[in-house]
Structures are given as structure tokens and as C-alpha cells.
Amino acid sequence: MRVAVRCAAAIFLTGCAQGVQTNVSPAIGPRTRAERTNYLETSRYADVMSFLDSLRGRPELTFGVIGKTNEGRDIPYVIASRPRVSTPAEARALNRPIVYIQGNIHAGEVEGKEALLAILRDLSTSSRANVLDSVVLIAVPIYNADGNERFAHQEQNRGSQNGPEMVGVRANAQGLDLNRDYIKAEAPETRASLAMFNAWDPDVFVDLHTTDGSYHGYALTYAPPLNPASPLGEWTRDSVMPVLRQRMQSRHGFATFDYGDFIDDDTLSKGWVTFDSRPRFGTNYYGLRGRVGILSEAYSHDPFERRVKSTYAFVKEILSLAAERSAEFRRRVAPSRNVAIRSEMIAAPDSIGVVAEVVERTGDSTRTQPGVPKGRRRTGRYTTVKMPVFERFKPTLVVPMPTRYVIPASDTQVVRVLRAHGITVGQAGQSPPNMQLVAEAYVFAIDSAVAAARPFQGHREMRLKGAWRKETRRITAGSFVVDTSQPLGLLAVYMLEPQSDDGLVTWNFFDAELKPGGTYPVFKTGGAPPTP
Ligand SMILES: [Zn+2]
């Protein structure tokens, strides 16, 4: 199928060339399982591994594994760059954006996996100048490899998806949703990806998904980091996404929009609403690391082939834009000294026209298309309705950034997870050497500790209420100390603040120590006094 492209086509030139065709059936190199089956099937793990094997020996590519899944599968990565790099130091020495792109976190959402394989092939086939001369691409095509192998019918594994017929499942082998695991890091897959983030410090993280909601008019929807504490979140929203949107339309003919769903399918004018700001979600998490995160959601009601192509085009445009605006994508913005640790969703300033597809009742119980409920039929007729678009968040609780947090020596599990995130944790009596051992401290007095009524991901999320007070505290030898002036200081604040909406309190790391009338075991020193 021909897709009209005006520039930056199959070889992703960063400048604009005349009309070219998106590379669909490559003349050179291996074909993905999706391509070989005319998009009737998606790749099994073995298909991915043999496809990657067939690319070995190409001078731009380095192969490795980020770690192992629960079931012992290697999770492969490929680093693509000219010149080739095989270590983080080599990548940094090139002074160009490092872009980390992940497919298959939800293993029923299969086009990211296929698009990434095709992109690796197409970029490394080309002998002409391309984006690999300007960025370092780290591709992880089959992140949830165990979930991928639990093939079942789309109707069972991906209820509202238009093919392929057999796909994997959402969760990993522990039953965890990896896109809710970025803070608590319970899955080996998450810990492996955190280790990659720590080692390579990518400037951009892209997570490839498929929608499963409303009938809209967009081939792909997207989100920047939504957490208001993200230093580059607004910039990504206001300066990156509109350019990608415009290029997806003009160069590829794909309409795109902010990720979301209609609030009410019967009364569209009520609005369009995005998902969540909390960092349990990968692209929000990545924002709190001070970098750019981009969520990509291909439209589940589009045929598989079109979803692969829209995802391919989106990835391509992200790489091109990062190459073009290298300095902006690589800049470091200091986080605000007042950190938003809870927030609520609000609408963009003006109401916006959102495109919906008209879906009608057939009057019987036949299924008209995979992924469409029985008795409903898509019409191919679209309507644009002006409505409020809820695609951003505003802080509802802000705390001043302290100089440091002090964690009891016995909280070793907390320290382990902080270190897994790449946060530097010292220990009193060892480092830092000049720390005062008696300090004016801010201590959080607990009024209530309430666990959620319903379990979620094997947890009952905890919510603390209380007030800060000032007192003199001894920093006993062996206590752990987290300095917020470190590169991941903002993330440390978000994880350690007792009232954070997605911190270690939330995920039950401190449950045994939380008593109404008592104090939160972690105290803080320095910085402006928190509001009592
Ligand atoms: Zn998903």
C-alpha cells in the first residue's frame, strides 16, 4: 500500500526531500512476520530473535540484552548509530540525542514491535545519509517477551482491536502490568529497563502502545509527560507534539491528536479526556527523570497494517525531530524548588474540535469487524465536535524541595528500590562526610493512614494524611541519606514524600511503620519549611 510522503521518508533524511514512498516491502533485508503474512500475523519471540540475528554484521548496529524476563527469556536491544556505539561513554562522546524506543510493553498491542524491527532494518540498510548520523537509537522491540508468548485470539486478549487474529497478553508472567510498575519496580523487566536508563541516560523515551477505547478519527494519539513536576513536560506538550502532529499529517497523511477518550460517547460535547499524571506510567516516570517522554498509541480500530505504518511514521518523525533539534532535546532544565506531588486534570484553555466516528446499531447480534462490539457497525462517517480537551494537570499539593531525606537504617528495601532507580543513597557515618549528626528536621506527623479498599497490582495503595512539624533529630550512624541536589533529586522527592500520589508510601514500602499519632519514618532537613 502506498502512503504519500512528502519528505523524511523511508531513510529518514533530516532535511526535506521530494516525494518518496514509505518502505513497505523492502527490497533489501529480511521481512518481519507481519510483512511476510500480509499483516495477518504478528511476530513470536523466536521470529523477533531470528529477524535480529539476520541483521547482525551490519556496521551501524550493536546487539545486547537489557536483562531477563521472569521466564528466563533475554530481552533484546539493538543500538543503531553511525558511527556504531557499544558503550554509554561512546554514545555520550557523540554529543547527539539518545532516543530509547520500546515496543510491546502490553504484549497484545503488537505494532510497536513490528514497526521497530522494520525501522532497524530500513535505517541500517541505507548507505545514504540518514538519521543514524545524528542520533543514537536504542530499540527494545519486545519488552514484555513473556506476555508476547501467551498467544490467544484477539477477541480474548485484545477485545477492541482490529487484528491480527492471534496476539499476546497485557501483563507479564507475574500478572503485573509493566506500565504501572515504574515506581515500585517489582518486575525483572522494569528493573532491567531502569538499569538501561541509568547506564545510557537517554534524552528521549518513547513507549509504543495501541488504544482500546473510543471511535475517533486519528491514526495515532500521543501524550507528553503529564506530571506537572516534569521539567520538560510543558515544552514537550507545546513545542514537540504540535510539530510531530503537523508532520504526521503533511508527510504521511496520518491525522493524530492527544491521547484520550470521549467522556460520554452519547454526548460528545462533554469532552475528551487523557489518562493520568502519575509516574507509575512509563512516559510520566521518564518526565520526572528530567527528560522527554512520548507515549504513542496506534488506533486499535485501524487494520493492523495501518497501525504498523502509523507507528513507523511516528517513530521516524520523532527521530528526525530529535536530530534536527538536538540541543533542545538534550538540554537539562532544573526542576522547580516547589515540587508538585499531587495534581488534578484540567482542560486546555479553549475548546477544540475533536473528530469522532459515527457508530450505529445494526439491529442484530452479528459482529461486523474484529474489535467492534456485536450489533454495532462503523460507518466511515466522521463528525468534528467542539469540546473541552482534558489533556493537562495542575498541582494540588506542592512541597518545597528539602536538602536531604534521612531514612532509618532498617529500611533497606526502600534503599534498594531507590538505588534501582539510579538514585544515589549515602549512609550516615560513611558519607556524606560533613553532615551534621544533629539537625533541625521536618517531621511528618501522621493523622491517618488509609489503604485503598480495592487491591491494585497486588497492592492496597496507601494514602497518608497529617502535618509537618519542626523538631531536632539525631541522624544516627547507619541511617541512609538522600541528597536532592543529585541529577535524580526530583525523582527522589516524588518517591519519598509521604503525601506523594505515587511514592513509596503509596506502594506499601512503609506500611509496618505507619501509625496514626506516630511519625513518618523518613524525615527531611534543609530547604524552605513545608506548609504544616
Ligand atoms: Zn498499552
Side-chain angles (χ1 to χ4, degrees):
M1 179 177 122
R2 190 181 186 285
V3 179
V5 186
R6 221 157 278 139
C7 73
I11 48 153
F12 310 11
L13 281 169
T14 54
C16 200
Q18 58 277 45
V20 229
Q21 200 168 305
T22 295
N23 197 350
V24 172
S25 292
I28 311 166
R31 300 172 79 207
T32 65
R33 184 156 178 170
E35 292 164 344
R36 283 189 279 114
T37 62
N38 201 22
Y39 295 90
L40 292 174
E41 296 175 13
T42 188
S43 301
R44 303 295 300 240
Y45 180 75
D47 298 317
V48 172
M49 298 310 274
S50 67
F51 184 96
L52 294 180
D53 273 345
S54 69
L55 300 180
R56 279 178 195 271
R58 295 192 179 196
E60 304 87 345
L61 304 182
T62 297
F63 297 81
V65 298
I66 74 167
K68 280 190 189 299
T69 65
N70 285 284
E71 294 179 340
R73 293 186 177 89
D74 285 331
I75 307 168
Y77 70 72
V78 180
I79 299 178
S81 168
R82 286 198 297 234
R84 178 185 15 214
V85 301
S86 48
T87 66
E90 287 171 7
R92 272 192 286 277
L94 291 177
N95 284 319
R96 39 165 104 152
I98 300 173
V99 184
Y100 186 107
I101 308 184
Q102 171 175 285
N104 213 57
I105 182 170
H106 293 145
E109 305 170 10
V110 289
E111 53 274 23
K113 172 182 61 182
E114 306 294 347
L116 274 180
L117 295 177
I119 278 166
L120 285 168
R121 172 197 62 212
D122 296 345
L123 284 175
S124 61
T125 304
S126 171
S127 54
R128 295 165 57 188
N130 72 30
V131 78
L132 294 189
D133 300 304
S134 312
V135 303
V136 174
L137 166 63
I138 303 178
V140 181
I142 188 162
Y143 179 48
N144 182 5
D146 291 351
N148 192 78
E149 293 309 277
R150 284 163 163 70
F151 260 40
H153 281 272
Q154 156 269 321
E155 214 166 293
Q156 180 186 328
N157 281 356
R158 282 285 299 156
S160 53
Q161 183 165 291
N162 190 358
E165 194 180 324
M166 301 293 288
V167 296
V169 296
R170 183 178 183 87
N172 78 345
Q174 292 160 284
L176 293 178
D177 185 333
L178 296 176
N179 204 27
R180 306 292 183 271
D181 194 45
Y182 278 96
I183 290 293
K184 60 189 169 67
E186 291 176 316
E189 293 88 350
T190 309
R191 291 193 293 271
S193 68
L194 295 182
M196 287 293 285
F197 295 161
N198 295 337
W200 293 86
D201 193 14
D203 301 283
V204 185
F205 166 65
V206 183
D207 204 14
L208 304 175
H209 292 252
T210 319
T211 63
D212 44 17
S214 299
Y215 293 87
H216 57 64
Y218 305 105
L220 186 142
T221 49
Y222 50 73
L226 294 173
N227 194 291
S230 312
L232 292 175
E234 269 181 45
W235 175 75
T236 308
R237 182 189 72 207
D238 296 337
S239 301
V240 173
M241 304 321 301
V243 178
L244 293 173
R245 185 180 190 207
Q246 190 273 322
R247 291 180 179 183
M248 283 290 280
Q249 185 69 63
S250 65
R251 296 176 175 179
H252 307 277
F254 288 124
T256 62
F257 195 59
D258 284 281
Y259 174 79
D261 283 302
F262 295 110
I263 292 173
D264 180 347
D265 289 333
D266 296 321
T267 315
L268 296 176
S269 59
K270 283 188 183 168
W272 176 258
V273 61
T274 188
F275 64 113
D276 200 308
S277 65
R278 288 173 293 179
R280 62 189 62 186
F281 297 88
T283 49
N284 294 337
Y285 168 75
Y286 213 67
L288 292 187
R289 292 181 71 106
R291 306 286 185 266
V292 175
I294 299 176
L295 172 74
S296 164
E297 296 263 358
Y299 182 41
S300 66
H301 299 295
D302 270 345
F304 180 36
E305 180 176 8
R306 183 172 156 90
R307 302 201 312 267
V308 174
K309 285 172 180 153
S310 61
T311 303
Y312 184 109
F314 194 58
V315 166
K316 176 159 101 171
E317 292 304 335
I318 291 170
L319 293 172
S320 292
L321 191 62
E324 215 175 289
R325 297 195 184 165
S326 169
E328 283 176 272
F329 274 84
R330 294 170 57 228
R331 92 202 133 99
R332 306 292 177 243
V333 172
S336 163
R337 302 299 300 171
N338 292 305
V339 181
I341 55 167
R342 303 189 77 85
S343 56
E344 67 183 16
M345 187 182 282
I346 55 170
D350 301 308
S351 56
I352 296 167
V354 182
V355 181
E357 184 175 2
V358 177
V359 177
E360 46 185 36
R361 295 187 188 278
T362 57
D364 58 32
S365 63
T366 53
R367 192 182 294 287
T368 57
Q369 185 185 84
V372 175
K374 289 175 179 165
R376 298 286 182 119
R377 178 174 44 226
R378 297 176 63 189
T379 61
R381 294 198 311 274
Y382 294 88
T383 167
T384 302
V385 180
K386 273 208 152 193
M387 62 185 77
V389 171
F390 294 85
E391 41 70 287
R392 61 188 68 189
F393 288 78
K394 76 161 200 252
T396 54
L397 182 61
V398 170
V399 293
M401 192 180 275
T403 306
R404 60 172 63 101
Y405 292 90
V406 180
I407 305 168
S410 56
D411 275 319
T412 50
Q413 252 199 312
V414 169
V415 172
R416 252 200 306 278
V417 74
L418 291 170
R419 286 178 173 156
H421 282 268
I423 293 166
T424 302
V425 183
Q427 206 165 11
Q430 294 169 17
S431 68
N434 297 323
M435 195 175 53
Q436 293 175 318
L437 290 180
V438 176
E440 284 298 298
Y442 301 114
V443 176
F444 189 75
I446 301 170
D447 290 335
S448 68
V450 179
R454 288 172 44 172
F456 178 71
Q457 300 286 305
H459 288 263
R460 286 187 191 273
E461 293 168 81
M462 179 62 73
R463 170 116 194 234
L464 277 192
K465 287 186 177 170
W468 291 99
R469 65 174 186 236
K470 200 169 184 181
E471 58 183 58
T472 304
R473 280 279 178 113
R474 175 168 292 278
I475 302 175
T476 50
S479 300
F480 295 102
V481 180
V482 176
D483 212 310
T484 62
S485 63
Q486 62 182 298
L488 293 173
L490 170 65
L491 179 62
V493 173
Y494 215 94
M495 292 178 73
L496 287 170
E497 276 296 322
Q499 294 171 292
S500 162
D501 62 10
D502 207 5
L504 296 181
V505 165
T506 315
W507 294 109
N508 310 116
F509 280 81
F510 293 103
D511 274 14
E513 301 164 84
L514 304 177
K515 303 276 184 292
T519 56
Y520 176 54
V522 177
F523 64 87
K524 52 189 185 182
T525 68
T531 320

